[in-house]
Amino acid sequence: MAADQAASLAKDAVKSGERVGLTADRITVHGGKPLRGRIRVRGAKNLATKAMVAALLGETPSVLQDVPLISDVDIVTRMLEAYGVAVSSPEDGTLVLDPKNVEKAHFAKIDALAGSSRIPILFCGPLLHRLGEALIPDLGGCRIGDRPIDFHMDALRAFGAIVDKSYEGITITAPDGLHGAHIELPYPSVGATEQVLLTAVRAEGVTELKNAAIEPEILDLIAILQKMGAIIWVEPNRTIFIEGVDRLEGYTHRAIADRNEAASWASAALATRGDVFVENAKQPELLTFLNVFRKAGGAFDVADDGIRFYHPGGALKPVQVETDVHPGFMTDWQQPLIIALTQAEGISTVHETVYENRFGFTDALVDMGADIVVHKDGLESVTRRVPRRRLEQAAVITGPTALHGADVHVPDLRGGFSYLIAALVADGTSTISNLGLISRGYEHIIDKLTALGADFELG
């Protein structure tokens, strides 16, 4: 089983890299050199792909700007094209999506793409409105824990959809149309919130969504839907009201900047004792991260066009981190930050409350010399702010420790970037394979490493 999973992961990595023009799926990094320089982040992965799906709801073309060149965008592009949406790119970073010829797709095409992404589940609502049916095959994505689709299916049923499961996947129909519903999520899931929004905007009547996710990318998606003609009220206490409309038009929108990539480069600057200016990074979306970054000993300067992240000298400090939904500390931020915490003087604790398997990447870090102990049932703490969850885990990082080069395999998107940081910090040479997985969420990763003075070669 382990061999099969490793082979599948390697296959996914190669495909992901090929989609963005990576010429190799292995990188050799010579560590010990600080990252210094300037790079730019474009639109958020977690918004751009959802905005592309939203274009299915419009009767006229949509224009999405500042789109990153990442493999997830390529996957959604191919899926939209399979459904008859014309996708063009008149200039770098801009997509024009024309849905006037939407049609049913062949199962084989969707199935071939779905193994590399979890985005297909969000096609359900728009496809039900446009075609009256949605077929969702087995879903892929990073192997960081259970991401049940029950929230999605329960929400669709609340709208009046009929969900049938088979060996191929899930067939969803709405013979009596979709109608407004009262939905309360058991957890403020980003994906389930997106599902409700993309379904409710053209459902008949009013939908009330309680315990909704309110991430910046969610609010940016709401802004897009409002541009299209939707009526959406964001109320206090994670409540959203959506008044269904009969017709939506296309949109023109510039995607919100990718705060996850910005935080990743910030952690890389801190860990390598470097100095990196991240163009397009925005302070409001990074407030929680910036607090932890400063407490750990990092420094930053906010400018109109981005944020400078740097190591100011002296020793890094241990911190306690609890991941949570926005406005908490994002789960995507903890993996890159852990590398910097291996260089802090003292004991840091990271409580992971969102995904139960997100510490799997630490095994390779221990092999590189890190002192990290994972507690699979979590840890109690009198200073906790985030309520404990059944699935949570905790990682205790004791530093500083000298990291040494090693051969490692990228397990998932954020873990993969973390391995890059570890290799840049380590003494000696490291070889990282499955490099393509990093291209799922990091644009021009090789060009950016070059711009920051990293010492590496491909292959």
Side-chain angles (χ1 to χ4, degrees):
M1 179 65 77
D4 291 342
Q5 289 179 340
S8 176
L9 201 64
K11 185 178 179 181
D12 286 349
V14 171
K15 284 185 177 179
S16 296
E18 289 175 345
R19 290 188 174 104
V20 296
L22 269 180
T23 58
D25 200 46
R26 181 188 297 264
I27 184 172
T28 300
V29 178
H30 308 288
K33 186 176 181 181
L35 294 183
R36 300 186 184 278
R38 188 182 187 101
I39 53 99
R40 183 180 188 276
V41 297
R42 286 208 275 194
K45 163 187 174 289
N46 291 340
L47 180 278
T49 49
K50 321 305 172 58
M52 294 170 68
V53 176
L56 267 173
L57 291 162
E59 302 293 337
T60 56
S62 293
V63 179
L64 184 61
Q65 301 164 327
D66 226 6
V67 183
L69 179 64
I70 55 176
S71 62
D72 273 17
V73 165
D74 182 76
I75 290 169
V76 177
T77 296
R78 293 171 186 242
M79 288 195 64
L80 288 170
E81 290 174 337
Y83 283 110
V85 177
V87 183
S88 59
S89 182
E91 59 181 303
D92 181 40
T94 297
L95 291 180
V96 178
L97 307 109
D98 188 348
K100 68 180 179 181
N101 294 319
V102 171
E103 60 185 5
K104 292 185 178 181
H106 293 292
F107 174 80
K109 285 186 178 181
I110 301 304
D111 188 45
L113 292 166
S116 300
S117 175
R118 291 181 179 266
I119 299 298
I121 193 69
L122 295 179
F123 277 68
C124 294
L127 289 176
L128 286 172
H129 287 301
R130 295 301 302 268
L131 302 175
E133 179 183 274
L135 176 61
I136 307 300
D138 187 34
L139 300 179
C142 287
R143 295 161 177 81
I144 55 177
D146 188 22
R147 295 188 181 188
I149 63 171
D150 294 350
F151 293 176
H152 295 261
M153 296 301 104
D154 289 345
L156 290 167
R157 290 188 184 98
F159 285 110
I162 296 175
V163 179
D164 293 314
K165 297 182 180 180
S166 68
Y167 70 93
E168 287 186 328
I170 303 171
T171 301
I172 305 165
T173 56
D176 297 323
L178 297 174
H179 305 275
H182 295 279
I183 299 170
E184 182 168 0
L185 299 177
Y187 181 78
S189 160
V190 169
T193 299
E194 292 164 339
Q195 183 74 258
V196 171
L197 289 169
L198 292 168
T199 305
V201 286
R202 286 189 60 176
E204 182 181 349
V206 178
T207 295
E208 179 186 21
L209 175 61
K210 291 185 176 182
N211 204 26
I214 54 171
E215 271 68 5
E217 295 82 7
I218 292 285
L219 298 181
D220 208 34
L221 178 60
I222 289 174
I224 288 171
L225 293 169
Q226 188 180 59
K227 286 181 178 181
M228 299 176 75
I231 300 173
I232 304 174
W233 308 84
V234 181
E235 302 285 344
N237 300 322
R238 296 186 177 275
T239 299
I240 300 175
F241 287 93
I242 307 103
E243 299 180 24
V245 298
D246 294 332
R247 178 185 173 92
L248 293 174
E249 305 294 334
Y251 64 80
T252 297
H253 189 80
R254 183 173 299 278
I256 189 174
D258 197 315
R259 62 197 175 116
N260 291 338
E261 184 180 359
S264 295
W265 288 112
S267 292
L270 187 62
T272 64
R273 304 183 70 85
D275 188 334
V276 177
F277 189 92
V278 182
E279 293 182 33
N280 208 28
K282 307 295 184 185
Q283 182 183 14
E285 290 82 19
L286 288 166
L287 281 177
T288 305
F289 175 82
L290 293 174
N291 287 334
V292 175
F293 187 80
R294 175 170 282 161
K295 288 184 69 174
F300 59 88
D301 299 328
V302 179
D304 290 341
D305 60 340
I307 302 176
R308 175 193 174 201
F309 298 96
Y310 60 99
H311 190 304
L316 296 183
K317 304 170 185 177
V319 295
Q320 176 171 293
V321 176
E322 303 164 57
T323 67
D324 197 10
V325 295
H326 185 79
F329 192 92
M330 284 197 68
T331 179
D332 300 79
W333 297 339
Q334 59 94 342
Q335 288 169 290
L337 180 66
I338 279 178
I339 311 303
L341 296 180
T342 67
Q343 305 307 300
E345 292 190 354
I347 299 174
S348 298
T349 303
V350 177
H351 300 273
E352 173 56 54
T353 75
V354 180
Y355 293 125
E356 72 271 29
N357 290 335
R358 202 144 210 178
F359 289 137
F361 81 110
T362 61
D363 290 343
L365 299 179
V366 171
D367 290 341
M368 296 178 75
D371 185 345
I372 303 174
V373 178
V374 174
H375 298 263
K376 297 188 179 298
D377 296 318
L379 288 173
E380 294 286 355
S381 172
V382 295
T383 60
R384 288 285 299 272
R385 294 182 181 180
V386 179
R388 287 203 63 179
R389 296 188 67 210
R390 177 184 56 80
L391 54 69
E392 76 172 46
Q393 296 186 339
V396 177
I397 306 103
T398 302
T401 53
L403 302 183
H404 53 78
D407 294 341
V408 294
H409 304 274
V410 171
D412 60 73
L413 175 60
R414 306 300 171 192
F417 193 90
S418 302
Y419 287 171
L420 272 180
I421 301 176
L424 291 163
V425 171
D427 292 328
T429 298
S430 299
T431 301
I432 302 172
S433 56
N434 292 347
L435 179 65
L437 289 180
I438 300 175
S439 70
R440 289 191 52 235
Y442 294 90
E443 180 188 46
H444 300 314
I445 184 70
I446 300 305
D447 293 341
K448 289 176 180 177
L449 287 171
T450 300
L452 296 176
D455 186 357
F456 70 93
E457 57 262 0
L458 288 176

